[in-house]
Amino acid sequence: MQKTDITATRLKLGSIIENKKLQMKISDEEFCKAVQITKNTLNRIEKGRFSPGSDLMLLMFQALNIKLKIDSEVIN
């Protein structure tokens, strides 16, 4: 995978998180408190400038009721 592909994937994940928060009417403050991150970190994730580790990503997905699917297996 090339660096441009990784950047595009980070941007897509950030967009999914941002859109899901809006859809669920969850404020940045509420979300950050739930997953124990700062608003700055959230902003960096949503803008594709920071790639969270798997534990944080799973925690964020859980807080937003996002299912992670790898091939045909649902992870969370």
Side-chain angles (χ1 to χ4, degrees), residues 18-30:
E18 187 172 20
N19 290 332
K20 188 69 171 180
K21 280 193 308 100
L22 291 171
Q23 185 181 59
M24 294 177 68
K25 296 182 169 78
I26 298 173
S27 71
D28 288 349
E29 291 80 9
E30 291 173 301

Side-chain angles (χ1 to χ4, degrees), residues 1-16 44-52 57:
M1 184 178 270
Q2 295 182 355
K3 185 172 176 79
T4 55
D5 295 334
I6 293 170
T7 300
T9 300
R10 283 198 327 232
L11 284 168
K12 185 173 183 176
L13 287 170
S15 178
I16 289 168
R44 290 173 45 221
I45 292 168
E46 290 179 344
K47 302 306 177 206
R49 295 190 307 262
F50 177 74
S51 183
M57 188 172 299

